[in-house]
Amino acid sequence: MSDFQGMEDLLQDFLVEANDLLSDVDNKLVDLEQRPQDHGLLNDIFRGFHTIKGGAGFLNAGELVTLCHLTENLFDRLRNGELQVTGEIMDVILEATGAVREMFGALDGGVLPQAASPGLIANLKAAIEGKLNMSFSQGEPVAAVSAPESSSNSEPDWDQLFSAVTSPGSGMVVPASVPKAIDTPELHHEVIGESPEQIIQAAIGRRSVDKSGQHGPVGRRETEKTRDNSIRVDTSRLDQVLNLSGEIGLTKNRLTSLRSDILNGRSDTDTLHALDQAVSQLDLLVSDLQNAVMKTRMQPIGRLFQKYPRIARDLARSLGKDVELVLAGEETEIDKTMIEDLSDPIIHLIRNAVDHGVEPTEDRIALGKSGKSQVRLEARQEGDHIVLLVADDGRGMNAERLRAKALEKGLITDEEANTMDERQSFNLIFLPGFSTKDVASDVSGRGVGMDVVRTNIQKLNGSIEIKSQQGKGTTFVISLPLTLAILPVLLVQLGAQPFAVPLSMVREILPIEVTQVQEVGGRATMVVRGEVMPIYPLSYMLGWAAEAVPGYGVLMQSAEHTFILAIDGFMGREDAVIKSLEDFRPKGVAGVTTLSNGQIVLILDMKELIQELGEGRGVPRSTFFEALEAVA
C-alpha cells in the first residue's frame, strides 16, 4: 500500500517540480566549481535545496528534509563567507544531490525514503563545522586507518562510524574510522571508483524500471504511465488553440447557412463566391489549428540538456581528464515524445567524446593545446528539422586506422575496405562489436554504445553524420524531424497501388532504362554520376510478381545504405499523419495514412525491407528481363 494514500496528486506535482529544481542545482554546482566565489550561484543553490525541503515537509518525508536541511546549512555558511568552496566540499555536495535523487526514486514508488548513509551525514556535518579540510590536512588520522590499500573497493564500516558519531558526549569525531569517512582521498575515490553507469544514474536518477528493492503500490505502473505522458504547456499556446477553435466554429456556422441557401435553390454567383471564401477560410484555420496543436507538444530541449554537465564532469574526473561541457541552443524546441528517446544516444556520444575524443591533459599541453578540453552540445532548427551537434576539440578520427580495426575484427572484407571513402570509414564505428580499444573498460571497449546511438536515431526517423579532422576534433551531426506525428513522404506507385516512403531518405528521382542496368557481382546496378548503385525493385522487396518494367528509380540514402528503389511511377510529396498498426504490423510497414481522396496507403519501413533482403542484398539483372517477358 502506498505511503501517500490520498496525496498522489500532491506527490506527483512535487516530484515534477523537485526534479527540475535538482537538475538546475546540478548544473549550477558544475558552474560553481569553476566560479567558487559567485554569490549568485551560492544563493540559487541554497534556494533550490530550501524549496525541495519545504515540499518534502508537506509530504512528511522526514529523511529527505533532514538531508536537504544539512545541505542547506552548508550553503548558508558558504554564501555568508564563513566557509570556502573546495574540491572536498564539492564532492560531499554532489554525493548529497545523488542521495536526494535516489530519495525521489523512492517517493516515485510510493514509499517514504530511507535515511541517507551515515557516512554522508557525517561528511555534511564535518563540512558545516569546517572540520573536513582540517581532518584532511592534519594527515595523522589518515595513517591511522587500518583498512589495507588492497581493499579500497570495500565498503566502510558504516555501523561503527554511525555509533562513533552519535554516541553521547562524543563531541568531536576522534575514532580512527571516522576520518576515513571524511578523508578527501576517500571522497575522491567515490567518484573515481564508480562505473559510468553509476555516475549517470547518480546524475539523472533511476528510471522506473531500475528501482530494485522497492515495491510500489498496486497500479503503480499506471501512475508512472500517466506521469510519463504528462506535459507542461504555456497557457498562451492553449489560448491560441481555444481562439482558433472558436474561429472554426464561426466558419462552420457560415458554411451551414450557405448550405441551407444552396439547398433552397440559391446558386447565384454571390452565394458560390461566399462558399468559396468560407471553405478557403476553413482550410486556413484548420492549418493554423494543426500547427498550434503541434506546438503544444514541443518542449525546450534545454530540459534534456540540463542533466549532461554533471555527467560529463563526473566521467571526466573518473578518467583523470579536465573537460568542460558547453551547451548552446537550449531554447530550441523539439517534440516531447522524442526527448526520452534522445537521452541514451546523447549520453553515449558524450561518453565517447570524453573517453575517446579528447586527450589527457598532459598530451594536450604537449601538442600546444589548452589543458582543458571542451565538448560542445548544441541544438538548432533548420527548416523542418532539428539539428543536434556533439563536438569535441580532441584528437580526431583516423579513417585508415578504423578500416584496419574493422578488418582485424572481421567486420568487413578486404574488398570493402579498399572501396571505402572517408565518410564510410567513419561510419564503421556504428557497427555492432566495433571498438578501437583492445581491452574493454567500465567506460568503453565493448562496441555497443555507438550502435545504440544509430539505432535510436533511426527509430526517430533521423540521421547521424560524422565530421572529423585529425588533431582538431570530431563532430557528430544528428538531424531529426520536428515531430513524429506528421511524416513528410513521397508517394510512389507499384502498378496502380500507391505506397509512401519517408522523404528524409529520398535524394533524387531518376528515369530507368533497361539498357542502363548493369550486373556487378551478381547484382543489378546503375551508374549515377560515376558511382555504382544497387537497384532494388519495389515489387521484389514486397514479394509481388513484376507486371511491368520499372520506369523510375528513387535514389535513397540511410546511414549505412545508398540504393535505387525501382518503381512504376510516383504521385508527389505529402505530409502524412501516421496511424500505427498496433494489433497487426506486417514486416516492412511502419504504419498507414489516408490520402485526400480517402484512399488508405501503407507507409513503408525501408530499413526493415533492406534488412529482409539478407546479407547478399542484391537483385539479379535478369529480374528486369522477367518483367519484360511478363509484359510481352
Side-chain angles (χ1 to χ4, degrees):
M1 184 176 178
S2 173
D3 291 333
F4 300 96
Q5 198 72 31
M7 301 172 64
E8 288 83 359
D9 291 341
L10 178 62
L11 174 62
Q12 293 307 319
D13 289 343
F14 166 76
L15 287 173
V16 170
E17 182 181 358
N19 273 301
D20 286 346
L21 280 170
L22 192 59
S23 295
D24 187 53
V25 164
D26 269 338
N27 288 342
K28 285 184 168 61
L29 286 173
V30 176
D31 293 338
L32 184 65
E33 206 165 25
Q34 308 299 322
R35 307 194 303 274
Q37 304 300 326
D38 192 325
H39 286 279
L41 285 174
L42 290 169
N43 285 325
D44 288 345
I45 298 170
F46 172 85
R47 283 192 292 270
F49 279 106
H50 182 75
T51 304
I52 294 172
K53 183 183 77 170
F58 277 113
L59 296 170
N60 296 320
E63 300 301 342
L64 178 55
V65 170
T66 299
L67 181 57
C68 288
H69 182 68
L70 286 172
T71 312
E72 180 187 21
N73 287 347
L74 176 55
F75 272 98
D76 191 39
R77 297 203 64 188
L78 289 170
R79 67 176 184 162
N80 291 331
E82 299 173 22
L83 293 173
Q84 297 297 317
V85 177
T86 64
E88 296 76 32
I89 288 180
M90 285 300 302
D91 283 335
V92 176
I93 293 169
L94 289 170
E95 186 184 354
T97 61
V100 169
R101 200 175 292 277
E102 289 210 0
M103 289 185 178
F104 287 170
L107 290 171
D108 192 25
V111 295
L112 287 169
Q114 297 181 355
S117 69
L120 173 57
I121 299 298
N123 288 335
L124 281 170
K125 289 180 178 179
I128 292 169
E129 295 172 6
K131 298 173 183 176
L132 193 63
N133 289 331
M134 183 177 65
S135 65
F136 171 60
S137 61
Q138 287 173 350
E140 285 188 8
V142 180
V145 178
S146 59
E149 289 183 14
S150 60
S151 61
S152 59
N153 291 329
S154 62
E155 280 288 313
D157 189 345
W158 298 124
D159 292 331
Q160 182 182 357
L161 174 62
F162 181 73
S163 61
V165 172
T166 58
S167 58
S170 60
M172 283 186 58
V173 180
V174 177
S177 60
V178 176
K180 180 179 179 180
I182 62 176
D183 180 33
T184 303
E186 283 295 317
L187 289 171
H188 184 68
H189 174 75
E190 289 178 16
V191 177
I192 298 296
E194 289 180 346
S195 69
E197 287 71 19
Q198 290 171 316
I199 292 172
I200 292 169
Q201 182 175 308
I204 65 177
R206 294 177 174 174
R207 291 172 290 184
S208 56
V209 294
D210 298 330
K211 291 170 190 155
S212 58
Q214 295 181 7
H215 304 282
V218 177
R220 172 184 160 199
R221 292 194 178 275
E222 289 299 320
T223 304
E224 287 178 353
K225 183 186 290 187
T226 302
R227 184 185 170 205
D228 289 342
N229 290 337
S230 64
I231 188 172
R232 290 184 179 183
V233 182
D234 193 323
T235 54
S236 63
R237 294 188 174 181
L238 293 178
D239 290 341
Q240 185 183 11
V241 171
L242 186 60
N243 291 336
L244 287 170
S245 300
E247 291 290 336
I248 288 174
L250 294 175
T251 306
K252 187 200 94 171
N253 294 339
R254 177 63 175 152
L255 285 171
T256 302
S257 175
L258 290 170
R259 175 177 175 274
S260 299
D261 291 343
I262 293 172
L263 290 176
N264 290 330
R266 287 186 59 185
S267 57
D268 55 277
T269 305
D270 291 341
T271 302
L272 294 177
H273 180 66
L275 177 63
D276 182 61
Q277 281 187 323
V279 171
S280 298
Q281 184 179 9
L282 181 63
D283 180 62
L284 180 63
L285 288 171
V286 169
S287 178
D288 287 346
L289 179 62
Q290 185 182 46
N291 290 333
V293 171
M294 293 307 303
K295 284 184 178 179
T296 62
R297 294 165 55 98
M298 307 297 277
Q299 297 285 287
I301 202 166
R303 295 185 179 179
L304 176 67
F305 283 5
Q306 64 185 359
K307 60 190 175 186
Y308 296 128
R310 167 77 184 275
I311 293 174
R313 179 257 186 201
D314 288 351
L315 284 176
R317 289 196 64 183
S318 71
L319 295 169
K321 297 181 179 181
D322 188 4
V323 179
E324 178 186 6
L325 180 66
V326 178
L327 304 181
E330 297 167 86
E331 70 285 349
T332 304
E333 293 189 327
I334 190 170
D335 195 307
K336 193 261 181 187
T337 56
M338 292 187 182
I339 288 181
E340 186 173 345
D341 291 328
L342 278 174
S343 179
D344 283 347
I346 295 179
I347 285 175
H348 282 295
L349 289 176
I350 291 174
R351 286 176 60 174
N352 183 76
V354 174
D355 186 28
H356 293 279
V358 301
E359 310 94 334
T361 304
E362 299 78 10
D363 295 350
R364 291 180 62 86
I365 294 174
L367 293 169
K369 294 184 177 182
S370 167
K372 175 177 286 189
S373 53
Q374 190 176 91
V375 176
R376 183 176 180 84
L377 178 57
E378 180 182 348
R380 63 174 182 262
Q381 183 175 340
E382 292 184 0
D384 60 351
H385 278 71
I386 296 292
V387 176
L388 301 178
L389 302 179
V390 181
D392 65 68
D393 60 353
R395 57 173 63 93
M397 296 170 65
N398 186 323
E400 186 176 342
R401 183 179 175 226
L402 292 175
R403 289 193 294 269
K405 203 70 178 178
L407 274 171
E408 178 188 321
K409 292 180 176 290
L411 299 175
I412 59 173
T413 63
D414 288 327
E415 182 182 354
E416 290 173 326
N418 293 331
T419 58
M420 280 185 173
D421 58 19
E422 188 176 68
R423 180 185 64 83
Q424 292 170 324
S425 299
F426 290 160
N427 286 337
L428 288 172
I429 67 173
F430 295 120
L431 293 177
F434 182 88
S435 177
T436 56
K437 286 201 170 184
D438 296 320
V439 180
S441 67
D442 286 340
V443 181
S444 60
R446 293 179 174 83
V448 176
M450 300 308 293
D451 177 42
V452 170
V453 171
R454 184 179 63 176
T455 301
N456 284 21
I457 295 301
Q458 288 177 346
K459 285 179 182 177
L460 297 173
N461 296 323
S463 62
I464 183 167
E465 180 185 357
I466 305 173
K467 299 177 181 178
S468 186
Q469 186 177 355
Q470 285 194 60
K472 300 294 184 182
T474 302
T475 301
F476 290 87
V477 183
I478 300 172
S479 180
L480 298 164
L482 272 177
T483 177
L484 294 179
I486 296 179
L487 177 70
V489 297
L490 175 68
L491 295 175
V492 301
Q493 288 179 304
L494 186 58
Q497 177 66 45
F499 292 93
V501 296
L503 195 63
S504 60
M505 295 181 64
V506 177
R507 294 298 170 262
E508 61 180 300
I509 299 176
L510 308 164
I512 291 182
E513 295 183 14
V514 176
T515 55
Q516 296 177 334
V517 179
Q518 305 296 324
E519 185 162 310
V520 177
R523 300 190 303 173
T525 61
M526 267 183 65
V527 178
V528 180
R529 287 185 291 278
E531 189 173 355
V532 178
M533 302 282 185
I535 304 178
Y536 303 138
L538 181 57
S539 58
Y540 182 87
M541 298 179 81
L542 297 178
W544 289 20
E547 298 179 356
V549 179
Y552 298 92
V554 181
L555 180 58
M556 309 191 75
Q557 184 177 17
S558 64
E560 66 276 16
H561 302 297
T562 302
F563 61 95
I564 296 173
L565 180 68
I567 57 174
D568 296 338
F570 57 92
M571 299 169 60
R573 176 192 188 279
E574 183 141 334
D575 289 331
V577 179
I578 306 172
K579 301 294 182 184
S580 61
L581 299 172
E582 296 180 357
D583 298 327
F584 171 71
R585 181 181 176 275
K587 284 187 177 180
V589 176
V592 298
T593 188
T594 306
L595 301 182
S596 56
N597 60 4
Q599 185 176 10
I600 295 176
V601 175
L602 296 178
I603 301 173
L604 300 179
D605 186 336
M606 297 308 302
K607 299 181 183 71
E608 192 169 74
L609 287 174
I610 290 292
Q611 290 173 354
E612 284 296 304
L613 289 177
E615 289 299 324
R617 292 202 177 99
V619 178
R621 185 172 181 269
S622 59
T623 303
F624 291 88
F625 293 104
E626 290 172 4
L628 280 173
E629 294 171 4
V631 173

